[in-house]
Amino acid sequence: MGTQEDERLLLENGPRQGKSNELYTGDGSVDFQGKPVLKQNSGNWRACLFILGTECCERLAYYGIAKNLVHYLTGKLHEGNVSAARNVTTWIGTCYLTPLVGAFLADAYWGRYRTIAVFSTIYFIGMCTLTLSASVLALNSAECVGAVCPSATPAKYAIFFSGLYLIALGTGGIKPCVSSFGADQFDDTDPRERVKKGSFFNWFYFSINIGALVSSTLIVVIQDNLGWALGFGIPAVFMGIAIASFFSGTPLYRFQKPGGSPLTRMCQVLVASFHKRKLKFPEDSSLLYETSNKNSAIEGSRKLEHTEEFKCLDKAAIVSDNETKHGNFSNPWRLCTITQVEELKILIRMFPIWATGIVFSAVYAQMSTVFVEQGEVMDRTIGSFTIPAASLSTFDVISVMFWVPIYDKVIVPVARKFTSKERGFTELQRMGIGLFISILSMVAAALVEIKRLQLAKELGLVDKDVAVPMSIFWQIPQYFLVGAAEVFTFVGRLEFFYDQSPDAMRSLCSALALVITSLGSYLSSLILTIVAAVTTAGGKTGWIPDNLNKGHLDCFFLLLAGVSILNLVVYVFCASKYKQKKVSSF
């Protein structure tokens, strides 16, 4: 995918500065012992196969828990619909918040390999703990008597949620590091390996979807029909296989040394600019401090051109008379380079685009919660077989696997003829299209629910907590639209944060992109809480009662569609004002 185009660009533009040595890598990578690494004995696809295997098995383990978790909470722990949905979205949000911890440790101290190794072990312990909570008979909740379902025991809750949040912590060290670690296996100074690196990300994304597809079908069916001990145990086994796959490739891996904390550099800019807040700006911006040679003072980063925005931060790069007099330019807490200042400016400019992604992630979170609850009160039978409601998310994965090649092979070439842009659309345009499609997904879900409630009323099922005879396959369009929106927004977001982030902050920006998903889950939890409080005021049934036949889930979906429309308007405004990163050519 894209290989011929990459080769054409290499022929036109030539290799990057710094000719790669024929025997050793030229990007500073080392072997496990810290020695210069030979190309022929390391990295490349031979190493990436282990990393792709790790990612596929880890994603299978994660989605094997996440896809059907709301059903476990309502069916086994006897939680209500709102409480179960809130717990799931809070946990998923935490899974996407902890990558900040992993990214910091990888960039500043441990490097990506050690971070993955430590946190994957924590992950596996969490999976085993979760399996234990479902396996020990003494911890099982009492069976329901009629409509009365006793709550789970405190011990069951403690062990279950301990395992769940150990998984959340473990995934924080894997998510921001594993894709970058895979890309590290290709020498960026070698034109041939640079082409292969572009292909790696395609296969990496494909491996994620394989894991998600297996968990959405096979694992969910096992959980619903053969029990949760086996349903949690199989993902735990696959997490063990993921760890074994990762460590098996150690002799072949190429390692990048940690280059220092980006958080520290940002703090240095803030401290230095505050300390020099009373100094006057030089008339010529070229007098601001920057290293005299062509290399940036920040390891692994190209120099950035000075911009006129956020000039208060430029004071960190003003050379004071005292510094000039003594020739002391070595204290980064008092004097920063233009490139270091521009790093922080870039993050500030990216913030509005980053923030508008939160609402989309809230919409995406509905697949694991309210979509499942809606599916459980629809007809899920085919003959004698009962379809697990959570397994409908398979159509999201199928949608993703359908739209990726369509986008790459059809949409981009057609769009390129009209826009004359290399990728057909800019990253910002691509994300905007995805936001629009997400609105359509919520409208589709609302229309299905309107029809379902109408049928429940006609058949006299409003006061009965039973499934309505309307096929669950009516949910396919809403899942398919979410998958299409995901291809445009999520992949566009990855491209945007990679291309626009400073060279030495890409791990941090990868983590920030994941935090969007976290905050989206938290926003979904907040919206659910507010909706439940407002709509049940005065003893009313509410929009999302335990008996959804009495509720108005359609209103909830339309509310999300309305919020998404407002978010799209804000996004279009912010995207129109965004200024691209400029790399210095000297």
Side-chain angles (χ1 to χ4, degrees):
M1 296 175 64
T3 300
Q4 292 180 345
E5 183 66 25
D6 289 336
E7 289 176 343
R8 182 186 67 78
L9 291 173
L10 285 170
L11 290 172
E12 291 180 359
N13 302 327
R16 288 185 177 181
Q17 290 181 343
K19 187 179 179 180
S20 179
N21 186 283
E22 293 182 359
L23 296 178
Y24 295 91
T25 58
D27 60 356
S29 56
V30 297
D31 63 14
F32 188 67
Q33 297 178 335
K35 300 177 181 178
V37 63
L38 285 167
K39 287 184 181 181
Q40 64 178 5
N41 297 332
S42 67
N44 241 295
W45 285 113
R46 66 172 74 85
C48 284
L49 290 176
F50 294 98
I51 297 171
L52 293 175
T54 298
E55 179 63 11
C56 181
C57 292
E58 185 274 326
R59 287 293 85 188
L60 190 153
Y62 172 80
Y63 286 117
I65 303 300
K67 291 292 184 182
N68 213 18
L69 184 57
V70 70
H71 181 54
Y72 182 81
L73 293 174
T74 55
K76 293 298 181 180
L77 299 189
H78 303 151
E79 292 189 353
N81 284 333
V82 172
S83 176
R86 186 167 52 240
N87 275 327
V88 170
T89 52
T90 300
W91 175 71
I92 292 175
T94 304
C95 288
Y96 285 90
L97 187 63
T98 52
L100 287 173
V101 178
F104 175 78
L105 291 173
D107 277 346
Y109 302 110
W110 290 355
R112 283 184 270 273
Y113 175 85
R114 187 178 176 188
T115 302
I116 295 171
V118 171
F119 280 83
S120 61
T121 303
I122 296 173
Y123 196 131
F124 182 65
I125 294 172
M127 294 293 298
C128 292
T129 304
L130 205 64
T131 304
L132 178 67
S133 73
S135 302
V136 179
L137 295 178
L139 295 174
N140 288 345
S141 307
E143 295 296 326
C144 296
V145 180
V148 179
C149 295
S151 300
T153 63
K156 175 87 169 182
Y157 266 110
I159 296 175
F160 175 79
F161 281 102
S162 294
L164 205 60
Y165 280 89
L166 280 174
I167 293 170
L169 177 60
T171 196
I174 298 174
K175 282 181 180 291
C177 297
V178 68
S179 61
S180 298
F181 187 66
D184 288 344
Q185 305 312 307
F186 301 97
D187 185 1
D188 205 37
T189 65
D190 186 323
R192 292 168 298 180
E193 292 198 15
R194 238 178 16 248
V195 170
K196 295 176 183 177
K197 180 184 289 189
S199 182
F200 165 77
F201 286 105
N202 295 324
W203 287 105
F204 181 81
Y205 193 68
F206 186 79
S207 68
I208 291 174
N209 283 278
I210 290 176
L213 182 62
V214 173
S215 64
S216 299
T217 52
L218 179 62
I219 302 300
V220 168
V221 170
I222 290 173
Q223 290 169 344
D224 281 7
N225 294 280
L226 298 179
W228 291 93
L230 187 61
F232 286 156
I234 292 175
V237 170
F238 272 96
M239 189 60 215
I241 294 173
I243 295 173
S245 174
F246 180 72
F247 284 119
S248 296
T250 300
L252 299 174
Y253 292 149
R254 298 172 184 176
F255 304 86
Q256 293 285 348
K257 296 178 180 178
S261 170
L263 299 179
T264 300
R265 293 197 300 275
M266 287 189 288
C267 290
Q268 289 170 344
V269 171
L270 294 174
V271 170
S273 60
F274 177 79
H275 186 262
K276 294 182 175 179
R277 64 191 182 279
K278 295 182 180 180
L279 296 182
K280 293 183 179 180
F281 289 105
E283 295 182 3
D284 185 356
S285 62
S286 65
L287 297 176
L288 294 173
Y289 180 66
E290 184 57 276
T291 55
S292 58
N293 55 34
K294 64 181 181 180
N295 297 321
S296 169
I298 303 168
E299 186 176 352
S301 176
R302 295 167 292 178
K303 287 184 178 180
L304 297 172
E305 291 184 4
H306 175 258
T307 59
E308 296 298 326
E309 300 167 301
F310 313 115
K311 289 186 70 68
C312 59
L313 297 176
D314 286 340
K315 292 199 172 185
I318 296 177
V319 182
S320 67
D321 292 338
N322 185 56
E323 288 166 335
T324 302
K325 180 180 178 181
H326 294 90
N328 182 15
F329 309 124
S330 61
N331 186 354
W333 294 95
R334 290 294 180 265
L335 181 63
C336 302
T337 63
I338 291 174
T339 297
Q340 190 173 343
V341 173
E342 288 300 320
E343 281 187 331
L344 182 54
K345 287 185 181 182
I346 287 173
L347 293 184
I348 295 173
R349 283 196 291 266
M350 292 170 71
F351 177 78
I353 304 298
W354 174 86
T356 52
I358 297 173
V359 172
F360 174 81
S361 293
V363 170
Y364 180 76
Q366 304 315 307
M367 282 199 307
S368 299
T369 55
V370 183
F371 278 17
V372 176
E373 292 173 352
Q374 181 188 41
E376 287 179 343
V377 287
M378 300 177 75
D379 183 7
R380 298 185 288 127
T381 60
I382 298 180
S384 59
F385 180 73
T386 299
I387 303 168
S391 68
L392 263 288
S393 61
T394 302
F395 289 97
D396 166 69
V397 178
I398 293 172
S399 177
V400 169
M401 299 180 77
F402 170 80
W403 281 108
V404 166
I406 291 296
Y407 180 85
D408 189 60
K409 300 298 183 182
V410 179
I411 296 177
V412 169
V414 172
R416 189 182 291 131
K417 293 179 181 179
F418 292 95
T419 65
S420 299
K421 296 184 183 298
E422 186 64 40
R423 298 178 182 176
F425 301 103
T426 66
E427 297 96 335
L428 293 172
Q429 290 171 336
R430 183 173 183 176
M431 287 189 285
I433 294 171
L435 294 179
F436 175 75
I437 297 174
S438 72
I439 296 171
L440 299 181
S441 71
M442 289 297 99
V443 173
L447 292 175
V448 169
E449 185 62 14
I450 289 170
K451 180 63 178 177
R452 195 192 69 81
L453 291 174
Q454 181 183 350
L455 191 59
K457 185 176 181 180
E458 292 174 355
L459 298 176
L461 301 177
V462 173
D463 295 320
K464 300 178 181 179
D465 189 9
V466 296
V468 173
M470 177 180 176
S471 175
I472 193 174
F473 290 117
W474 281 101
Q475 284 192 310
I476 290 176
Q478 65 203 54
Y479 279 103
F480 204 79
L481 285 168
V482 171
E486 184 182 345
V487 169
F488 281 89
T489 301
F490 281 168
V491 179
R493 183 188 298 169
L494 288 173
E495 291 178 351
F496 175 77
F497 277 98
Y498 183 83
D499 287 345
Q500 294 301 310
S501 63
D503 293 348
M505 285 191 175
R506 282 178 172 153
S507 293
L508 174 65
C509 289
S510 295
L512 289 175
L514 294 169
V515 169
I516 295 176
T517 305
S518 169
L519 296 180
S521 295
Y522 289 134
L523 176 61
S524 178
S525 294
L526 178 62
I527 293 174
L528 282 167
T529 301
I530 294 173
V531 166
V534 172
T535 61
T536 57
K540 296 178 182 178
T541 303
W543 286 0
I544 315 177
D546 290 339
N547 177 10
L548 290 179
N549 293 338
K550 282 185 172 183
H552 275 288
L553 200 56
D554 54 333
C555 294
F556 176 74
F557 289 134
L558 291 174
L559 173 65
L560 286 179
V563 172
S564 297
I565 290 172
L566 292 175
N567 182 66
L568 179 59
V569 172
V570 174
Y571 173 82
V572 170
F573 174 79
C574 294
S576 66
K577 300 294 183 181
Y578 183 79
K579 293 184 178 180
Q580 302 284 322
K581 177 183 74 173
K582 294 183 179 180
V583 177
S584 177
S585 58
F586 55 87

